[in-house]
Amino acid sequence: MALTLIRPDYDVWKPGEHNGTFHGLPVPRGRGLAWGLPFKRAGAAREVCEAAYRKGLLMETAGPHDEVAQILPPLTVAYAQLEQGLATLEDAVASVAGVETLVA
């Protein structure tokens, strides 16, 4: 497990300035099994990830305003597990906002 702690007053990177994983955006949408699910409302992805966690699905957020939910299944995921995870994600989105608007 890795952990990076950044004081907010030091976290002044603009998109594309930092080459760390997803820190400065753009978030890759569709690289292998790593997908970013962007929402229009700041903080919506964090709420979705929290709801998913309460249902047993571990997710992370990305973006400077927690507007992207990261979908990061292992490459060896079984089809049934993927279906279950996506169903849990669908329930989490519905529980946060009914039908949350995604960025196209």
Side-chain angles (χ1 to χ4, degrees):
M1 180 168 122
L3 176 67
T4 302
L5 300 175
I6 301 174
R7 284 182 27 186
D9 52 318
Y10 291 153
D11 189 17
V12 295
W13 301 104
K14 292 188 178 27
E17 287 186 341
H18 185 260
N19 62 1
T21 306
F22 305 127
H23 182 78
L25 287 182
V27 174
R29 295 179 187 162
R31 298 268 181 179
L33 288 182
W35 282 76
L37 186 61
F39 293 87
K40 287 184 178 179
R41 182 173 53 84
R46 178 184 36 79
E47 295 171 23
V48 168
C49 290
E50 289 171 357
Y53 181 77
R54 288 191 299 273
K55 297 172 185 296
L57 180 63
L58 182 60
M59 296 181 67
E60 294 183 4
T61 63
H65 304 290
D66 285 339
E67 72 276 12
V68 180
Q70 294 182 19
I71 303 170
L72 303 165
L75 291 173
T76 57
V77 66
Y79 186 76
Q81 289 176 317
L82 186 59
E83 280 188 319
Q84 180 183 4
L86 291 174
T88 301
L89 175 58
E90 182 179 21
D91 290 345
V93 171
S95 73
V96 167
V99 178
E100 180 66 56
T101 304
L102 300 174
V103 176

Coordinates of all heavy atoms in Angstrom, one line a residue:
M1 N 0.8 -1.2 0.0 CA 0.0 0.0 0.0 C 0.9 1.2 0.0 O 1.9 1.3 0.7 CB -0.9 0.0 1.2 CG -1.8 1.1 1.3 SD -3.1 0.9 2.6 CE -2.8 2.3 3.6
A2 N 0.5 2.2 -0.8 CA 1.3 3.5 -0.8 C 0.3 4.6 -0.4 O -0.9 4.5 -0.6 CB 1.8 3.7 -2.2
L3 N 0.9 5.6 0.2 CA 0.1 6.7 0.7 C 0.9 8.0 0.4 O 2.1 8.1 0.7 CB -0.2 6.6 2.2 CG -0.9 7.7 2.8 CD1 -2.3 7.8 2.3 CD2 -1.0 7.5 4.3
T4 N 0.3 9.0 -0.2 CA 0.9 10.3 -0.5 C 0.1 11.3 0.2 O -1.1 11.4 0.0 CB 1.0 10.6 -2.0 OG1 1.7 9.5 -2.6 CG2 1.6 11.9 -2.2
L5 N 0.7 12.1 1.1 CA 0.0 13.1 1.8 C 0.6 14.5 1.3 O 1.8 14.7 1.2 CB 0.3 13.0 3.3 CG -0.2 11.8 4.0 CD1 0.2 11.7 5.5 CD2 -1.7 11.6 3.9
I6 N -0.3 15.3 0.9 CA 0.1 16.6 0.4 C -0.7 17.7 1.1 O -1.9 17.7 1.2 CB -0.3 16.7 -1.1 CG1 0.5 15.7 -1.9 CG2 0.1 18.1 -1.7 CD1 0.1 15.6 -3.4
R7 N 0.0 18.7 1.7 CA -0.6 19.8 2.4 C -1.4 20.6 1.3 O -0.8 20.9 0.2 CB 0.4 20.7 3.1 CG 0.9 20.1 4.4 CD 1.8 20.9 5.1 NE 1.7 22.4 4.9 CZ 2.5 23.2 5.4 NH1 3.6 22.9 6.2 NH2 2.4 24.5 5.2
P8 N -2.6 21.0 1.6 CA -3.4 21.8 0.6 C -2.6 23.0 0.1 O -2.8 23.3 -1.1 CB -4.7 22.1 1.3 CG -4.8 21.1 2.4 CD -3.4 20.8 2.8
D9 N -1.9 23.7 0.9 CA -1.2 24.9 0.4 C 0.0 24.5 -0.5 O 0.5 25.4 -1.2 CB -0.7 25.8 1.6 CG 0.1 25.0 2.6 OD1 -0.3 23.9 3.0 OD2 1.1 25.6 3.1
Y10 N 0.5 23.3 -0.5 CA 1.5 22.9 -1.4 C 0.9 22.3 -2.7 O 1.6 22.1 -3.7 CB 2.4 21.8 -0.8 CG 3.3 22.3 0.3 CD1 3.7 21.5 1.3 CD2 3.7 23.7 0.3 CE1 4.6 21.9 2.3 CE2 4.5 24.1 1.3 CZ 5.0 23.3 2.3 OH 5.8 23.7 3.3
D11 N -0.4 21.9 -2.6 CA -1.0 21.2 -3.8 C -1.5 22.3 -4.8 O -2.7 22.5 -4.9 CB -2.2 20.4 -3.3 CG -2.8 19.5 -4.3 OD1 -2.1 19.3 -5.4 OD2 -3.9 19.0 -4.1
V12 N -0.6 22.8 -5.5 CA -0.9 23.9 -6.4 C -0.7 23.5 -7.9 O -0.7 24.4 -8.8 CB -0.1 25.2 -6.1 CG1 -0.5 25.7 -4.8 CG2 1.4 24.8 -6.2
W13 N -0.7 22.2 -8.2 CA -0.5 21.7 -9.6 C -1.7 22.1 -10.4 O -2.8 21.9 -10.0 CB -0.3 20.2 -9.6 CG 0.9 19.8 -8.8 CD1 0.9 19.2 -7.5 CD2 2.3 19.9 -9.1 NE1 2.1 18.9 -7.1 CE2 3.0 19.4 -8.1 CE3 3.0 20.4 -10.2 CZ2 4.4 19.3 -8.1 CZ3 4.3 20.4 -10.2 CH2 5.1 19.8 -9.2
K14 N -1.5 22.5 -11.6 CA -2.5 22.6 -12.6 C -2.6 21.4 -13.4 O -1.6 20.6 -13.5 CB -2.3 23.9 -13.4 CG -2.3 25.2 -12.6 CD -2.3 26.4 -13.5 CE -2.4 27.7 -12.8 NZ -2.0 27.8 -11.4
P15 N -3.7 21.1 -14.1 CA -3.8 19.9 -14.9 C -2.7 19.8 -15.9 O -2.3 20.7 -16.6 CB -5.2 20.1 -15.7 CG -6.0 20.9 -14.7 CD -5.0 21.9 -14.1
G16 N -2.1 18.6 -15.9 CA -1.0 18.3 -16.8 C 0.4 18.7 -16.3 O 1.4 18.4 -16.9
E17 N 0.5 19.4 -15.2 CA 1.8 19.8 -14.7 C 2.5 18.7 -13.9 O 3.7 18.8 -13.8 CB 1.6 21.0 -13.8 CG 1.3 22.3 -14.5 CD 1.3 23.5 -13.6 OE1 1.2 23.3 -12.4 OE2 1.4 24.6 -14.1
H18 N 1.8 17.8 -13.3 CA 2.4 16.8 -12.5 C 2.2 15.4 -13.2 O 1.1 15.1 -13.7 CB 1.7 16.8 -11.1 CG 2.4 15.8 -10.2 ND1 1.8 14.6 -9.9 CD2 3.5 15.9 -9.4 CE1 2.6 14.0 -9.0 NE2 3.6 14.8 -8.7
N19 N 3.2 14.6 -13.2 CA 3.1 13.4 -14.0 C 2.7 12.2 -13.1 O 2.8 11.1 -13.5 CB 4.4 13.1 -14.8 CG 5.6 12.9 -13.8 OD1 5.5 13.0 -12.6 ND2 6.7 12.7 -14.4
G20 N 2.2 12.4 -11.9 CA 1.8 11.4 -11.0 C 0.5 10.8 -11.5 O -0.2 11.4 -12.3
T21 N 0.1 9.7 -11.0 CA -1.1 9.0 -11.5 C -2.4 9.8 -11.2 O -2.7 10.0 -10.1 CB -1.2 7.6 -10.7 OG1 0.0 6.9 -10.9 CG2 -2.4 6.8 -11.3
F22 N -3.0 10.3 -12.2 CA -4.3 11.0 -12.2 C -4.2 12.3 -11.5 O -5.2 13.0 -11.4 CB -5.4 10.1 -11.7 CG -5.5 8.8 -12.4 CD1 -5.5 7.6 -11.6 CD2 -5.7 8.7 -13.7 CE1 -5.7 6.4 -12.3 CE2 -5.8 7.5 -14.4 CZ -5.8 6.4 -13.6
H23 N -3.1 12.7 -10.9 CA -3.1 13.9 -10.0 C -3.5 15.1 -10.7 O -4.4 15.9 -10.2 CB -1.8 14.1 -9.4 CG -1.8 15.3 -8.4 ND1 -2.3 15.1 -7.1 CD2 -1.4 16.5 -8.5 CE1 -2.3 16.3 -6.6 NE2 -1.7 17.2 -7.4
G24 N -3.0 15.4 -11.9 CA -3.3 16.6 -12.6 C -4.3 16.5 -13.7 O -4.4 17.4 -14.5
L25 N -4.9 15.3 -13.9 CA -5.8 15.1 -15.1 C -4.9 15.3 -16.3 O -3.8 15.7 -16.3 CB -7.0 16.1 -15.1 CG -8.1 15.8 -14.1 CD1 -9.2 16.8 -14.2 CD2 -8.6 14.4 -14.1
P26 N -5.3 14.9 -17.5 CA -6.6 14.3 -17.8 C -6.6 12.9 -17.3 O -5.6 12.2 -17.4 CB -6.7 14.4 -19.3 CG -5.3 14.4 -19.7 CD -4.5 15.1 -18.7
V27 N -7.8 12.4 -16.9 CA -7.9 11.0 -16.5 C -8.1 10.2 -17.7 O -9.0 10.5 -18.6 CB -9.2 10.9 -15.5 CG1 -9.4 9.5 -15.2 CG2 -9.0 11.8 -14.3
P28 N -7.4 9.1 -17.8 CA -7.6 8.2 -19.0 C -9.0 7.6 -18.9 O -9.5 7.2 -17.9 CB -6.5 7.2 -18.8 CG -6.1 7.2 -17.4 CD -6.4 8.6 -16.9
R29 N -9.7 7.6 -20.0 CA -11.0 7.0 -20.1 C -10.9 5.8 -21.0 O -11.1 6.0 -22.2 CB -12.0 8.0 -20.6 CG -12.2 9.1 -19.6 CD -13.2 10.2 -20.1 NE -13.1 11.3 -19.2 CZ -13.6 12.5 -19.5 NH1 -14.1 12.7 -20.7 NH2 -13.5 13.5 -18.7
G30 N -10.7 4.6 -20.5 CA -10.7 3.5 -21.3 C -9.4 2.9 -21.6 O -9.2 2.4 -22.7
R31 N -8.4 2.9 -20.7 CA -7.1 2.3 -20.9 C -7.1 1.0 -20.3 O -7.1 0.8 -19.0 CB -6.0 3.2 -20.3 CG -5.9 4.5 -20.9 CD -4.9 4.5 -22.0 NE -4.7 5.8 -22.6 CZ -3.9 6.0 -23.5 NH1 -3.1 5.1 -24.0 NH2 -3.8 7.2 -24.0
G32 N -7.2 -0.1 -21.0 CA -7.3 -1.4 -20.4 C -8.6 -1.5 -19.6 O -9.6 -1.2 -20.1
L33 N -8.4 -2.0 -18.4 CA -9.6 -2.1 -17.5 C -9.7 -0.9 -16.6 O -10.5 -0.8 -15.7 CB -9.5 -3.4 -16.7 CG -9.8 -4.6 -17.5 CD1 -9.8 -5.9 -16.6 CD2 -11.2 -4.6 -18.2
A34 N -8.8 0.1 -16.7 CA -8.9 1.3 -15.9 C -9.8 2.3 -16.6 O -9.5 2.8 -17.8 CB -7.5 1.9 -15.7
W35 N -10.9 2.7 -16.0 CA -11.8 3.7 -16.6 C -12.1 4.8 -15.6 O -12.2 4.6 -14.4 CB -13.1 3.0 -16.9 CG -13.0 2.1 -18.2 CD1 -12.4 0.9 -18.3 CD2 -13.5 2.5 -19.5 NE1 -12.5 0.5 -19.6 CE2 -13.2 1.4 -20.3 CE3 -14.2 3.6 -20.0 CZ2 -13.5 1.4 -21.7 CZ3 -14.5 3.6 -21.3 CH2 -14.2 2.5 -22.1
G36 N -12.3 6.0 -16.2 CA -12.7 7.1 -15.4 C -14.1 7.4 -15.7 O -14.5 7.5 -16.9
L37 N -15.0 7.5 -14.6 CA -16.4 7.8 -14.8 C -16.6 9.3 -14.3 O -16.8 9.5 -13.1 CB -17.2 6.8 -14.0 CG -18.7 6.8 -14.1 CD1 -19.1 6.5 -15.5 CD2 -19.3 5.8 -13.2
P38 N -16.6 10.3 -15.3 CA -16.7 11.7 -14.8 C -18.1 12.1 -14.6 O -19.0 11.8 -15.3 CB -16.1 12.4 -16.0 CG -16.3 11.5 -17.2 CD -16.3 10.1 -16.7
F39 N -18.3 13.0 -13.6 CA -19.5 13.6 -13.2 C -19.4 15.1 -13.4 O -18.4 15.6 -13.3 CB -19.9 13.2 -11.8 CG -20.2 11.8 -11.5 CD1 -19.2 10.9 -11.2 CD2 -21.5 11.3 -11.7 CE1 -19.4 9.5 -11.0 CE2 -21.8 9.9 -11.5 CZ -20.7 9.1 -11.1
K40 N -20.5 15.7 -13.6 CA -20.5 17.2 -13.8 C -20.4 17.9 -12.5 O -19.7 18.9 -12.4 CB -21.8 17.6 -14.5 CG -21.9 17.3 -16.0 CD -23.2 17.9 -16.6 CE -23.3 17.5 -18.0 NZ -24.5 18.1 -18.6
R41 N -21.0 17.4 -11.4 CA -21.0 18.1 -10.1 C -19.7 17.7 -9.3 O -19.4 16.5 -9.1 CB -22.2 17.7 -9.4 CG -22.3 18.4 -8.0 CD -23.7 18.1 -7.4 NE -24.0 16.8 -7.2 CZ -23.6 16.0 -6.2 NH1 -22.8 16.4 -5.3 NH2 -24.0 14.7 -6.2
A42 N -19.0 18.7 -8.9 CA -17.8 18.5 -8.0 C -18.3 17.7 -6.8 O -19.3 18.0 -6.2 CB -17.2 19.8 -7.6
G43 N -17.5 16.7 -6.4 CA -17.8 15.9 -5.2 C -18.7 14.7 -5.5 O -18.8 13.9 -4.6
A44 N -19.4 14.7 -6.6 CA -20.3 13.6 -6.9 C -19.6 12.2 -6.9 O -20.1 11.3 -6.4 CB -21.0 13.8 -8.2
A45 N -18.4 12.2 -7.5 CA -17.7 10.9 -7.6 C -17.3 10.4 -6.2 O -17.4 9.2 -5.9 CB -16.5 11.1 -8.4
R46 N -16.9 11.3 -5.3 CA -16.6 11.0 -3.9 C -17.8 10.4 -3.2 O -17.7 9.3 -2.6 CB -16.1 12.2 -3.1 CG -15.8 11.9 -1.7 CD -15.4 13.1 -0.9 NE -16.1 14.3 -1.2 CZ -17.3 14.6 -0.8 NH1 -18.0 13.8 -0.1 NH2 -17.9 15.8 -1.2
E47 N -19.0 11.0 -3.4 CA -20.2 10.5 -2.8 C -20.6 9.1 -3.4 O -21.0 8.2 -2.6 CB -21.4 11.4 -3.0 CG -21.2 12.8 -2.3 CD -22.2 13.8 -2.7 OE1 -23.3 13.4 -3.2 OE2 -22.0 15.0 -2.6
V48 N -20.4 8.9 -4.7 CA -20.6 7.6 -5.3 C -19.7 6.6 -4.8 O -20.1 5.4 -4.4 CB -20.6 7.7 -6.8 CG1 -20.5 6.3 -7.5 CG2 -21.7 8.5 -7.4
C49 N -18.4 6.9 -4.6 CA -17.4 5.9 -4.1 C -17.7 5.6 -2.7 O -17.6 4.4 -2.3 CB -16.0 6.5 -4.2 SG -15.5 6.6 -6.0
E50 N -18.2 6.5 -1.9 CA -18.6 6.2 -0.5 C -19.8 5.3 -0.4 O -19.8 4.4 0.4 CB -18.8 7.5 0.3 CG -17.6 8.3 0.6 CD -17.8 9.7 1.1 OE1 -19.0 10.1 1.3 OE2 -16.9 10.4 1.4
A51 N -20.8 5.6 -1.3 CA -21.9 4.7 -1.3 C -21.6 3.3 -1.8 O -22.1 2.3 -1.3 CB -23.0 5.3 -2.3
A52 N -20.7 3.2 -2.8 CA -20.2 1.9 -3.3 C -19.5 1.2 -2.2 O -19.6 -0.1 -2.0 CB -19.3 2.1 -4.5
Y53 N -18.7 1.9 -1.4 CA -17.9 1.2 -0.3 C -18.8 0.7 0.7 O -18.6 -0.5 1.2 CB -17.0 2.3 0.3 CG -16.1 1.7 1.5 CD1 -15.0 0.9 1.2 CD2 -16.5 2.0 2.8 CE1 -14.3 0.4 2.2 CE2 -15.7 1.5 3.8 CZ -14.6 0.7 3.5 OH -13.9 0.1 4.5
R54 N -19.9 1.4 1.0 CA -20.9 0.9 2.0 C -21.6 -0.4 1.5 O -22.1 -1.2 2.3 CB -22.0 1.9 2.3 CG -21.4 3.1 3.2 CD -22.5 4.0 3.7 NE -23.3 4.6 2.6 CZ -23.0 5.8 2.0 NH1 -21.9 6.4 2.4 NH2 -23.7 6.3 1.1
K55 N -21.6 -0.6 0.2 CA -22.2 -1.8 -0.4 C -21.1 -2.9 -0.7 O -21.4 -3.9 -1.4 CB -22.9 -1.4 -1.7 CG -24.0 -0.5 -1.5 CD -24.6 0.0 -2.8 CE -25.7 1.1 -2.7 NZ -26.9 0.6 -2.0
G56 N -19.8 -2.6 -0.3 CA -18.8 -3.6 -0.5 C -17.8 -3.5 -1.6 O -17.0 -4.3 -1.9
L57 N -17.9 -2.3 -2.4 CA -17.1 -2.1 -3.5 C -16.1 -1.0 -3.3 O -16.5 0.1 -2.9 CB -18.0 -1.7 -4.7 CG -17.3 -1.5 -6.1 CD1 -16.5 -2.7 -6.6 CD2 -18.2 -1.0 -7.1
L58 N -14.8 -1.3 -3.4 CA -13.8 -0.3 -3.1 C -13.5 0.4 -4.4 O -13.1 -0.2 -5.4 CB -12.5 -1.0 -2.6 CG -11.4 -0.1 -2.2 CD1 -11.8 0.9 -1.1 CD2 -10.2 -1.0 -1.8
M59 N -13.6 1.8 -4.4 CA -13.3 2.6 -5.5 C -12.5 3.8 -5.1 O -12.4 4.1 -3.9 CB -14.6 3.1 -6.2 CG -15.5 2.0 -6.7 SD -17.0 2.7 -7.5 CE -16.3 3.5 -8.9
E60 N -11.9 4.5 -6.0 CA -11.1 5.7 -5.8 C -11.7 6.9 -6.6 O -12.4 6.6 -7.6 CB -9.7 5.5 -6.1 CG -8.9 4.5 -5.2 CD -7.5 4.4 -5.6 OE1 -7.0 5.2 -6.4 OE2 -6.8 3.6 -5.0
T61 N -11.3 8.1 -6.2 CA -11.7 9.2 -7.0 C -10.5 9.9 -7.7 O -9.4 9.6 -7.3 CB -12.4 10.3 -6.2 OG1 -11.5 10.8 -5.2 CG2 -13.7 9.8 -5.5
A62 N -10.7 10.7 -8.6 CA -9.7 11.5 -9.3 C -10.2 12.8 -9.7 O -11.5 13.1 -9.6 CB -9.2 10.7 -10.6
G63 N -9.4 13.7 -10.1 CA -9.8 15.0 -10.5 C -9.6 16.0 -9.4 O -9.7 15.6 -8.2
P64 N -9.4 17.2 -9.7 CA -9.1 18.2 -8.6 C -10.3 18.5 -7.7 O -10.2 19.0 -6.6 CB -8.7 19.5 -9.4 CG -9.3 19.3 -10.8 CD -9.3 17.8 -11.0
H65 N -11.5 18.1 -8.1 CA -12.7 18.3 -7.4 C -13.5 17.1 -7.1 O -14.7 17.1 -6.9 CB -13.6 19.4 -8.1 CG -12.9 20.6 -8.3 ND1 -12.5 21.5 -7.4 CD2 -12.4 21.2 -9.5 CE1 -11.9 22.5 -7.9 NE2 -11.8 22.3 -9.2
D66 N -12.8 15.9 -7.1 CA -13.5 14.6 -6.9 C -14.6 14.4 -7.8 O -15.7 13.9 -7.4 CB -13.9 14.5 -5.4 CG -12.8 14.2 -4.5 OD1 -11.7 13.7 -4.9 OD2 -13.0 14.4 -3.2
E67 N -14.4 14.7 -9.1 CA -15.5 14.6 -10.1 C -15.4 13.4 -10.9 O -16.2 13.1 -11.8 CB -15.6 15.9 -10.9 CG -14.5 16.0 -11.9 CD -13.2 16.7 -11.4 OE1 -13.1 16.8 -10.2 OE2 -12.4 17.1 -12.2
V68 N -14.4 12.5 -10.7 CA -14.2 11.3 -11.5 C -14.1 10.1 -10.6 O -13.3 10.1 -9.7 CB -12.9 11.4 -12.4 CG1 -12.7 10.1 -13.2 CG2 -13.0 12.6 -13.3
A69 N -15.0 9.1 -10.8 CA -14.9 7.9 -10.1 C -14.0 6.9 -10.9 O -14.3 6.8 -12.1 CB -16.3 7.3 -9.9
Q70 N -13.0 6.3 -10.3 CA -12.1 5.4 -11.0 C -12.7 4.0 -10.9 O -13.0 3.5 -9.8 CB -10.7 5.5 -10.4 CG -10.1 6.8 -10.6 CD -8.6 6.7 -10.1 OE1 -8.0 5.7 -9.9 NE2 -8.1 7.9 -9.8
I71 N -12.7 3.3 -12.0 CA -13.1 1.9 -12.1 C -11.9 1.1 -12.4 O -11.3 1.3 -13.5 CB -14.2 1.7 -13.1 CG1 -15.4 2.6 -12.8 CG2 -14.6 0.2 -13.2 CD1 -16.5 2.6 -13.9
L72 N -11.4 0.4 -11.5 CA -10.0 -0.3 -11.6 C -10.1 -1.8 -11.3 O -9.4 -2.2 -10.4 CB -9.0 0.4 -10.7 CG -8.9 1.9 -10.9 CD1 -8.2 2.6 -9.7 CD2 -8.1 2.2 -12.2
P73 N -10.8 -2.6 -12.0 CA -10.8 -4.0 -11.7 C -9.5 -4.6 -12.2 O -8.8 -4.1 -13.1 CB -12.0 -4.5 -12.6 CG -12.1 -3.6 -13.7 CD -11.7 -2.2 -13.2
P74 N -9.2 -5.8 -11.5 CA -7.9 -6.4 -11.9 C -8.1 -7.0 -13.3 O -9.2 -7.3 -13.8 CB -7.8 -7.5 -10.9 CG -9.1 -7.8 -10.3 CD -9.8 -6.4 -10.4
L75 N -7.0 -7.2 -14.1 CA -7.1 -7.8 -15.4 C -7.6 -9.2 -15.4 O -8.2 -9.6 -16.4 CB -5.7 -7.7 -16.0 CG -5.1 -6.4 -16.4 CD1 -3.7 -6.5 -16.9 CD2 -6.0 -5.7 -17.4
T76 N -7.6 -9.9 -14.3 CA -8.0 -11.2 -14.2 C -9.4 -11.4 -13.6 O -9.8 -12.4 -13.2 CB -7.1 -12.1 -13.3 OG1 -7.0 -11.4 -12.0 CG2 -5.7 -12.1 -13.9
V77 N -10.2 -10.3 -13.6 CA -11.5 -10.3 -13.0 C -12.4 -11.3 -13.8 O -12.4 -11.3 -15.0 CB -12.2 -8.9 -13.0 CG1 -12.4 -8.3 -14.4 CG2 -13.4 -8.9 -12.1
A78 N -13.2 -12.0 -13.0 CA -14.1 -13.0 -13.6 C -15.4 -12.2 -14.1 O -15.7 -11.1 -13.5 CB -14.6 -14.0 -12.6
Y79 N -16.0 -12.6 -15.1 CA -17.2 -11.9 -15.7 C -18.2 -11.7 -14.7 O -18.8 -10.6 -14.6 CB -17.7 -12.7 -16.9 CG -18.8 -12.0 -17.6 CD1 -18.5 -10.9 -18.5 CD2 -20.1 -12.4 -17.5 CE1 -19.5 -10.2 -19.1 CE2 -21.1 -11.7 -18.1 CZ -20.8 -10.6 -19.0 OH -21.8 -9.9 -19.6
A80 N -18.5 -12.7 -13.8 CA -19.6 -12.6 -12.8 C -19.2 -11.6 -11.8 O -20.1 -10.8 -11.3 CB -19.8 -14.0 -12.1
Q81 N -17.9 -11.5 -11.4 CA -17.5 -10.4 -10.5 C -17.6 -9.1 -11.1 O -18.0 -8.1 -10.4 CB -16.0 -10.7 -10.0 CG -15.9 -11.9 -9.1 CD -14.4 -12.1 -8.8 OE1 -13.5 -12.0 -9.7 NE2 -14.1 -12.4 -7.6
L82 N -17.3 -8.9 -12.4 CA -17.4 -7.7 -13.0 C -18.9 -7.2 -13.1 O -19.2 -6.1 -12.8 CB -16.8 -7.7 -14.4 CG -16.8 -6.4 -15.2 CD1 -15.9 -5.4 -14.5 CD2 -16.2 -6.7 -16.6
E83 N -19.8 -8.1 -13.4 CA -21.2 -7.8 -13.4 C -21.7 -7.4 -12.1 O -22.4 -6.4 -11.9 CB -22.0 -9.0 -13.9 CG -22.0 -9.3 -15.4 CD -23.0 -10.4 -15.7 OE1 -23.1 -11.4 -15.0 OE2 -23.7 -10.2 -16.8
Q84 N -21.2 -8.1 -11.0 CA -21.6 -7.7 -9.6 C -21.1 -6.3 -9.3 O -21.8 -5.5 -8.7 CB -21.1 -8.8 -8.7 CG -21.5 -8.5 -7.2 CD -20.9 -9.5 -6.3 OE1 -20.1 -10.4 -6.6 NE2 -21.2 -9.4 -5.0
G85 N -19.9 -6.1 -9.6 CA -19.3 -4.8 -9.3 C -20.0 -3.6 -10.0 O -20.2 -2.6 -9.5
L86 N -20.3 -3.8 -11.3 CA -21.0 -2.8 -12.1 C -22.4 -2.6 -11.6 O -22.9 -1.5 -11.5 CB -21.0 -3.2 -13.6 CG -19.6 -3.1 -14.2 CD1 -19.7 -3.6 -15.7 CD2 -19.1 -1.7 -14.2
A87 N -23.1 -3.7 -11.1 CA -24.4 -3.5 -10.5 C -24.3 -2.7 -9.2 O -25.2 -1.9 -8.9 CB -25.0 -4.9 -10.3
T88 N -23.3 -3.0 -8.4 CA -23.1 -2.2 -7.2 C -22.8 -0.8 -7.5 O -23.4 0.1 -6.8 CB -21.9 -2.8 -6.4 OG1 -22.2 -4.2 -6.1 CG2 -21.7 -2.1 -5.1
L89 N -22.0 -0.5 -8.5 CA -21.8 0.9 -8.9 C -23.0 1.5 -9.4 O -23.3 2.7 -9.0 CB -20.7 0.9 -10.1 CG -20.4 2.3 -10.7 CD1 -20.0 3.3 -9.6 CD2 -19.4 2.1 -11.8
E90 N -23.8 0.8 -10.2 CA -25.1 1.4 -10.6 C -26.0 1.8 -9.4 O -26.6 2.9 -9.4 CB -25.8 0.4 -11.5 CG -27.1 0.9 -12.1 CD -27.8 -0.1 -13.0 OE1 -27.5 -1.3 -12.9 OE2 -28.6 0.3 -13.8
D91 N -26.1 0.9 -8.4 CA -26.9 1.2 -7.2 C -26.3 2.4 -6.5 O -27.1 3.2 -5.9 CB -26.9 -0.1 -6.3 CG -27.7 -1.2 -6.8 OD1 -28.5 -1.0 -7.8 OD2 -27.5 -2.3 -6.3
A92 N -25.0 2.5 -6.4 CA -24.3 3.6 -5.7 C -24.7 4.9 -6.4 O -25.0 5.9 -5.7 CB -22.8 3.4 -5.6
V93 N -24.6 5.0 -7.7 CA -24.9 6.2 -8.4 C -26.4 6.5 -8.2 O -26.7 7.7 -7.9 CB -24.7 6.0 -10.0 CG1 -25.2 7.2 -10.7 CG2 -23.2 5.9 -10.2
A94 N -27.3 5.5 -8.2 CA -28.7 5.8 -8.0 C -29.0 6.3 -6.6 O -29.8 7.2 -6.4 CB -29.5 4.5 -8.3
S95 N -28.2 5.8 -5.6 CA -28.5 6.2 -4.2 C -28.0 7.6 -4.0 O -28.5 8.3 -3.1 CB -27.8 5.2 -3.3 OG -26.4 5.3 -3.3
V96 N -27.0 8.0 -4.7 CA -26.5 9.4 -4.5 C -27.4 10.4 -5.2 O -27.7 11.5 -4.6 CB -25.0 9.5 -5.1 CG1 -24.6 10.9 -5.2 CG2 -24.1 8.7 -4.2
A97 N -27.8 10.2 -6.4 CA -28.5 11.2 -7.1 C -29.6 10.8 -8.0 O -30.1 11.5 -8.9 CB -27.5 12.0 -8.0
G98 N -30.1 9.6 -7.7 CA -31.2 9.1 -8.6 C -30.5 8.7 -9.9 O -30.0 7.7 -10.1
V99 N -30.5 9.6 -10.8 CA -29.8 9.5 -12.1 C -28.8 10.6 -12.2 O -29.2 11.7 -12.6 CB -30.8 9.4 -13.3 CG1 -30.0 9.3 -14.6 CG2 -31.8 8.3 -13.2
E100 N -27.6 10.4 -11.8 CA -26.6 11.4 -11.8 C -26.2 11.7 -13.3 O -26.1 10.7 -14.1 CB -25.4 11.0 -11.0 CG -24.2 11.9 -10.9 CD -24.6 13.2 -10.2 OE1 -25.0 13.1 -9.1 OE2 -24.4 14.3 -10.8
T101 N -25.9 12.9 -13.6 CA -25.5 13.2 -15.0 C -24.0 13.0 -15.1 O -23.2 13.5 -14.3 CB -25.8 14.7 -15.3 OG1 -27.2 14.9 -15.1 CG2 -25.4 15.1 -16.7
L102 N -23.6 12.2 -16.1 CA -22.2 12.0 -16.4 C -21.7 12.9 -17.5 O -22.5 13.3 -18.4 CB -22.0 10.5 -16.9 CG -22.5 9.4 -16.0 CD1 -22.4 8.1 -16.7 CD2 -21.6 9.4 -14.7
V103 N -20.5 13.2 -17.5 CA -19.9 14.0 -18.6 C -19.6 13.1 -19.7 O -19.1 12.0 -19.6 CB -18.5 14.6 -18.1 CG1 -17.8 15.3 -19.2 CG2 -18.7 15.5 -16.9
A104 N -20.0 13.5 -20.9 CA -19.9 12.7 -22.1 C -18.4 12.6 -22.6 O -17.7 13.5 -22.4 CB -20.8 13.2 -23.2

